[in-house]
Amino acid sequence: MRRLARGPRSEKVPALVATACTLIGLLDIAAGVFPRFRHSRLHALAADLLPGALGPYAAALAICAGVLLLLLAHGLRRRKRRAWRAAVVLLPVGALAQFTYRHSLAGLVLPLLLLALLLGHRSEFTALPDPRSRWKALTNFLLMSAFSLGLGTVIVSTHPAHVVGDPSVTDLLTHVVYGLFGAEGPVDYHGRTSWLVSTSLGALGLLTALTTIYLALRPEHPVARLTAEDEDRLRALLARHGARDSLGQFALRRDKAVVFSPSGKAAVTYRVVSGVMLASGDPIGDVEAWPGAIERFLAEAEAHSWTPAVMGCSQTGGEVWTRESGLDALELGDEAIVDVADFTLSGRAMRNVRQMVKRIERAGYTTRVRRVRDLTPEELDRVRRAAEDWRGTDTERGFSMALGRIGDPADGDCLIATAHLADSEVPGPYGDLKAILHFVPWGEDGASLDLMRRDRAADPGMNELLIVAALQAAPALGLTRLSLNFAMFRSALARGEQLGAGPVLRLWRGLLVFLSRWFQIESLYKFNAKFRPRWEPRFVVFRSSRDLPRIGFAAMQAEGFVTLRLPRFLRPTRACPHQLHARPAAHGSPTGAHPHPPEGPRLAP
């Protein structure tokens, strides 16, 4: 792996500003909450000059300014223009509140120094807003309510010398809740402390309400989606250059966005997840035009201050990405590709697969392999409904190596392999249908596995049966190669079990085997190896090593392994089956094609 020159923009100033903003926000909150923060050399002088009634209001204002500065710190780190504008307004407000209540020269000077730094480097903060929806208002309400309850509990507990009586924990919490709504609670204080606490709690409640209302009423900025025109242009590029990459067809997912090269001869599709601009596979189109599409991709990431990353590109794609963008590449795993001409069930190496297929066939199972356009509407509807109901989780999984739908009229070249059991004593809701494999085109002579679904009541081995059926039917369909599953860290697993493997490699393999209890990394590799494929490495492309955890988390969100969801009763209804976002099942996810999927959160398709 090599590291090339980074982009022209430095991240030092935004990072420094974000850190300083966090510290000043905490200082503002502490100044408004803790009485001891009021002691300073200027306290006596300021107390004589400033009206005492301003104290509670200034404390509440300091708390609000501090909370908002904490919320803005992340946006400043990402160079967001709107965060810069808000910080420029809040810093002098917080400084004034601190000086009025705390009478601190440092509390006045430090925010003003940060304000000068922001004004002097205004050109660093030009990033455009992220996609957003009004669901963020609900998220803000829940998080701010929890934060306000916590901070409010601290506020009511930091004046023990002024409390009347001995209130219980329940009384304190009740007082916080009442105070957030601007009402008097069961706790009372001597002197002006009661006014101070009530004003601070009321300010927190008002801040929670105002930020939620603002987020709910501001215009939506929807996530970019693939338009019909974009899809037509991508299909034209795939018709000319689709044979180069087995993942090319997955660029047609309609929950992705796309940027084209200036010539229009190449494109990069992507999705933005948690501030990461996540592309998948190689650029689409003419290799000579890839640099133009990559440049547009990086310019879009720069404009929004998104973290650029690519999941699952080929070796050629990785070389072009690192050469043109200055990014780094790391091997992620290997793709299993079976050449149809070389596949046979004969021989000792294929004994287990051969025996399993023969046993299932003797049990009465039959298979059919057809193009989607050759299925009748009734058959296609049955396949869609079965794929929806046989999915093991509430959340559809898939992004980098899944198409996200079955049976769309525009996808007539896709391949469907089905297993049937006509002699079943108790026919299911889908007749004799027992298992499904869905392939997408890979040029004119290849197919790439998209998803695998099966009836849980069917005999084990449905996946092996249908893969063998697809390979045997391939010559009649004009196919010479089939891309199967993607095996994460395959080379490490393979080398780690060889004789003479070193301690580091053995330790790494042991960790992967341990993780396989949840992600089936090892079992998927062994399942792929049954078909004697050739292995093609796939890479993740990233900007900096410190971005890898963030990219990994975003990728798991995109693939559906980590879901940040609303409570079930607040969720919208599930999409119709014909709009499936297919799981990476088998092409892209470590939970994909386990021959006997276990029940539970690691459920495979």
Side-chain angles (χ1 to χ4, degrees), residues 342-544:
D342 298 333
F343 177 77
T344 176
L345 284 176
S346 303
R348 184 177 181 83
M350 298 298 295
R351 179 182 177 183
N352 290 338
V353 176
R354 182 172 64 249
Q355 290 178 342
M356 179 172 287
V357 170
K358 293 297 183 184
R359 176 180 59 79
I360 296 173
E361 289 177 342
R362 286 195 299 269
Y365 287 89
T366 58
T367 59
R368 301 183 69 183
V369 182
R370 293 164 289 172
R371 299 285 185 183
V372 166
R373 59 173 173 265
D374 296 328
L375 273 71
T376 65
E378 294 76 15
E379 289 176 314
L380 195 53
D381 179 67
R382 188 160 56 246
V383 166
R384 287 170 176 161
R385 290 187 292 108
E388 172 78 359
D389 290 347
W390 292 344
R391 189 181 68 211
T393 60
D394 288 339
T395 305
E396 279 288 358
R397 293 179 178 173
F399 164 68
S400 58
M401 301 175 185
L403 183 60
R405 57 184 181 269
I406 297 177
D408 190 279
D411 301 324
D413 287 339
C414 290
L415 205 66
I416 288 185
T418 53
H420 306 264
L421 183 61
D423 297 332
S424 177
E425 295 181 359
V426 183
Y430 314 109
D432 60 357
L433 184 63
K434 296 298 177 184
I436 303 164
L437 260 63
H438 186 256
F439 296 82
V440 298
W442 175 12
E444 295 183 354
D445 63 346
S448 190
L449 186 56
D450 175 23
L451 65 81
M452 308 173 76
R453 301 280 166 84
R454 69 178 182 90
D455 187 345
R456 301 295 167 181
D459 290 80
M462 290 291 103
N463 294 336
E464 289 92 335
L465 174 68
L466 288 180
I467 288 176
V468 169
L471 287 165
Q472 291 175 338
L477 294 168
L479 303 178
T480 62
R481 53 188 178 167
L482 260 63
S483 171
L484 302 181
N485 301 285
F486 172 74
M488 294 278 290
F489 308 116
R490 182 207 65 88
S491 58
L493 289 169
R495 293 197 302 267
E497 63 184 357
Q498 291 177 354
L499 183 66
V504 175
L505 195 55
R506 288 179 182 272
L507 180 63
W508 177 223
R509 181 183 181 277
L511 177 61
L512 293 176
V513 171
F514 175 75
L515 294 175
S516 295
R517 298 180 182 182
W518 294 275
F519 296 104
Q520 300 184 14
I521 300 171
E522 183 186 30
S523 57
L524 184 57
Y525 155 57
K526 291 183 175 180
F527 177 83
N528 290 337
K530 291 181 180 181
F531 302 96
R532 318 299 293 177
R534 57 183 170 89
W535 300 99
E536 294 290 339
R538 290 279 172 176
F539 299 84
V540 55
V541 176
F542 56 97
R543 181 174 56 189
S544 170

Side-chain angles (χ1 to χ4, degrees), residues 208-432:
T208 301
L210 290 178
T211 54
T212 301
I213 292 171
Y214 167 72
L215 292 173
L217 297 181
R218 69 176 179 173
E220 291 191 76
H221 185 190
V223 177
R225 290 286 187 265
L226 208 64
T227 66
E229 180 183 357
D230 292 336
E231 186 173 336
D232 290 341
R233 295 177 66 184
L234 286 173
R235 288 186 184 278
L237 292 177
L238 288 168
R240 293 192 293 270
H241 306 283
R244 208 208 56 78
D245 184 15
S246 63
L247 308 187
Q249 199 75 13
F250 300 126
L252 298 176
R253 283 184 66 98
R254 289 165 186 162
D255 57 357
K256 292 183 177 180
V258 61
V259 290
F260 289 90
S261 65
S263 65
K265 295 181 179 180
V268 175
T269 58
Y270 67 91
R271 187 195 297 172
V272 178
V273 182
S274 297
V276 177
M277 191 175 182
L278 205 59
S280 59
D282 293 344
I284 307 300
D286 188 353
V287 176
E288 297 297 324
W290 283 8
I294 291 173
E295 183 179 355
R296 287 280 180 87
F297 175 85
L298 295 175
E300 188 76 5
E302 176 74 11
H304 292 269
S305 192
W306 292 329
T307 300
V310 185
M311 299 296 296
C313 65
S314 69
Q315 184 161 344
T316 300
E319 290 173 352
V320 176
W321 271 102
T322 55
R323 183 181 70 241
E324 298 296 330
S325 64
L327 304 180
D328 285 340
L330 184 68
E331 186 171 332
L332 189 61
D334 294 271
E335 179 184 11
I337 298 175
V338 179
D339 293 312
V340 174
D342 298 333
F343 177 77
T344 176
L345 284 176
S346 303
R348 184 177 181 83
M350 298 298 295
R351 179 182 177 183
N352 290 338
V353 176
R354 182 172 64 249
Q355 290 178 342
M356 179 172 287
V357 170
K358 293 297 183 184
R359 176 180 59 79
I360 296 173
E361 289 177 342
R362 286 195 299 269
Y365 287 89
T366 58
T367 59
R368 301 183 69 183
V369 182
R370 293 164 289 172
R371 299 285 185 183
V372 166
R373 59 173 173 265
D374 296 328
L375 273 71
T376 65
E378 294 76 15
E379 289 176 314
L380 195 53
D381 179 67
R382 188 160 56 246
V383 166
R384 287 170 176 161
R385 290 187 292 108
E388 172 78 359
D389 290 347
W390 292 344
R391 189 181 68 211
T393 60
D394 288 339
T395 305
E396 279 288 358
R397 293 179 178 173
F399 164 68
S400 58
M401 301 175 185
L403 183 60
R405 57 184 181 269
I406 297 177
D408 190 279
D411 301 324
D413 287 339
C414 290
L415 205 66
I416 288 185
T418 53
H420 306 264
L421 183 61
D423 297 332
S424 177
E425 295 181 359
V426 183
Y430 314 109
D432 60 357

Side-chain angles (χ1 to χ4, degrees), residues 17 76 84 87-88 91 113-122 125:
V17 166
L76 291 172
W84 179 89
V88 166
L91 283 169
L113 288 176
L114 179 57
L115 176 62
L117 183 64
L118 281 172
L119 294 174
H121 292 83
R122 64 173 65 87
F125 300 89

